Amino acid sequence: MANIKARRKLSDLYKKGVEVRFGPNDTGEVEGRVAPGGQGAFKDDDGKPLPLGEDDVAMWIQPPSPLQREMALRDAQAARARALIRAKRDENSEEHLSVLAFLADMTDETLIEYVMVSTQDDRSNEATREVLALDEWQDITAYQDAMRQFDEMDPAERDENPEYIALMEKDEKFGEQVRQRTNELADAERDVLTMRGRAETEKRALEKRAELVGSQAFMREYEQQMLFYAVRDADDTGVLFFESARELAEQDDAIREVIQEALVPFITDGSEAKNSPGVASGSESSEPPKKPETSEASTQPDASE
């Protein structure tokens, strides 16, 4: 028993969070309230814990632990996999039918542009690799190192420095070569898609759209799980308030909004933000493209790319 108390005391030393209460206000309307200052519990003017009203419900909001973040990540990855399989292979699934409906409204030209936009990063990366493979850019790392020595120099002085000017010209030349090669790859891909016809282009578009559906499923599940793990019993913060993430998801929007508001300060500071995984390239627009792409390349790539 002493060991349990010691462990709880250790956890309390690093505990951070805020109390949230739901109950009727002075006009009788139910509202959610976050403890003043967005940290700690409700207290009276003397700094003592404020008693809970007879009709109030209290909960404690704190950032999920590293283990819970890992569990949320695994659940989100599983949700992504399920959505991806349904969108690609289950012709009767909601995911697959929604993808087909999205693509059916596109003209042939818009469908090609949709595929082109979705593969733009791939072409840019390929172009960068091809340019880096040229003998002219074998010393790209040395150029990058040379550029860094000017980072802390006064801009006015730096812009007049002959070595810096020469490096910038090199940098612009590299960027122009990458852009030119990216455009060449885009033209070639557009010609191939045009020749293959709509059926083949729809197949490519379905693959890309299915990836977006999977990414959206990942984000929904991850955010839902993280919110579930963040809500604790106000009297015993080691106990989750809700029985499941689904139970939390079924609560009124107003309840979840207050919980999210209370959690924001804790997940936007540096210590928590570094633990938040992102879904790169999954935030593609759900709207069909309305104009041809414009390829741009980074002018300062990392040599390891």
Side-chain angles (χ1 to χ4, degrees):
M1 182 63 70
N3 193 27
I4 293 177
K5 290 181 178 179
R7 292 200 301 269
R8 289 207 170 191
K9 184 176 181 180
L10 179 63
S11 297
D12 289 342
L13 290 174
Y14 293 93
K15 183 175 72 174
K16 58 180 177 179
V18 63
E19 184 183 4
V20 171
R21 294 184 179 184
F22 294 90
N25 57 23
D26 296 338
T27 63
E29 296 181 353
V30 177
E31 67 175 6
R33 305 183 303 280
V34 180
Q39 184 83 253
F42 283 91
K43 297 180 180 180
D44 60 21
D45 295 337
D46 296 326
K48 298 179 180 179
L50 189 67
L52 191 66
E54 182 179 351
D55 296 323
D56 285 354
V57 175
M59 56 180 65
W60 180 261
I61 311 299
Q62 69 180 50
S65 68
L67 175 60
Q68 290 167 337
R69 285 194 292 266
E70 181 64 27
M71 292 168 64
L73 183 59
R74 287 200 299 266
D75 286 338
Q77 289 170 336
R80 177 186 182 278
R82 290 192 297 270
L84 198 57
I85 290 173
R86 287 195 295 266
K88 288 184 176 182
R89 300 182 182 179
D90 186 353
E91 295 183 356
N92 295 317
S93 69
E94 179 182 338
E95 290 85 352
H96 185 80
L97 293 174
S98 67
V99 170
L100 291 183
F102 177 80
L103 300 179
D105 290 336
M106 294 185 183
T107 64
D108 291 351
E109 181 181 353
T110 304
L111 188 63
I112 290 174
E113 289 303 326
Y114 178 78
V115 175
M116 295 293 296
V117 169
S118 67
T119 58
Q120 182 174 345
D121 288 343
D122 296 335
R123 288 191 300 276
S124 179
N125 291 335
E126 182 179 350
T128 300
R129 287 192 296 268
E130 290 184 9
V131 173
L132 285 172
L134 299 176
D135 291 340
E136 180 181 2
W137 301 107
Q138 292 303 302
D139 294 330
I140 187 69
T141 303
Y143 295 143
Q144 291 173 334
D145 291 341
M147 287 287 286
R148 293 189 184 100
Q149 68 178 319
F150 295 99
D151 287 348
E152 298 181 1
M153 184 178 291
D154 178 78
E157 179 183 353
R158 180 194 61 194
D159 293 344
E160 298 296 328
N161 187 290
E163 183 180 356
Y164 178 76
I165 294 173
L167 288 170
M168 285 301 297
E169 290 175 351
K170 276 272 189 184
D171 188 61
E172 292 171 3
K173 183 179 180 180
F174 177 85
E176 180 56 34
Q177 289 184 13
V178 171
R179 281 190 290 273
Q180 181 178 343
R181 183 54 185 153
T182 300
N183 290 334
E184 291 171 354
L185 292 172
D187 291 340
E189 184 173 357
R190 184 177 285 104
D191 290 342
V192 170
L193 290 172
T194 302
M195 288 188 296
R196 287 183 175 177
R198 184 176 180 93
E200 184 63 26
T201 305
E202 273 192 351
K203 184 178 179 181
R204 288 278 306 277
L206 189 149
E207 290 284 325
K208 293 299 181 181
R209 186 68 184 177
E211 291 175 6
L212 175 60
V213 170
S215 295
Q216 291 172 336
F218 177 100
M219 289 305 299
R220 283 194 302 269
E221 184 67 22
Y222 183 73
E223 291 172 359
Q224 183 172 301
Q225 291 291 334
M226 288 287 280
L227 206 60
F228 165 63
Y229 288 123
V231 187
R232 311 299 183 89
D233 187 287
D235 295 325
D236 185 353
T237 59
V239 178
L240 294 173
F241 188 90
F242 294 101
E243 290 291 334
S244 66
R246 183 179 181 85
E247 182 185 358
L248 171 58
E250 291 173 347
Q251 301 302 311
D252 189 275
D253 287 345
I255 295 176
R256 288 184 285 109
E257 288 172 3
V258 173
I259 294 173
Q260 290 171 332
E261 175 191 344
L263 186 60
V264 164
F266 301 103
I267 61 175
T268 53
D269 65 27
S271 62
E272 290 298 327
K274 67 180 181 181
N275 294 307
S276 299
V279 185
S281 74
S283 55
E284 169 189 348
S285 172
S286 61
E287 293 295 326
K290 294 181 174 60
K291 59 182 180 180
E293 66 173 276
T294 301
S295 301
E296 294 185 2
S298 170
T299 58
Q300 295 188 28
D302 191 293
S304 62
E305 291 182 349

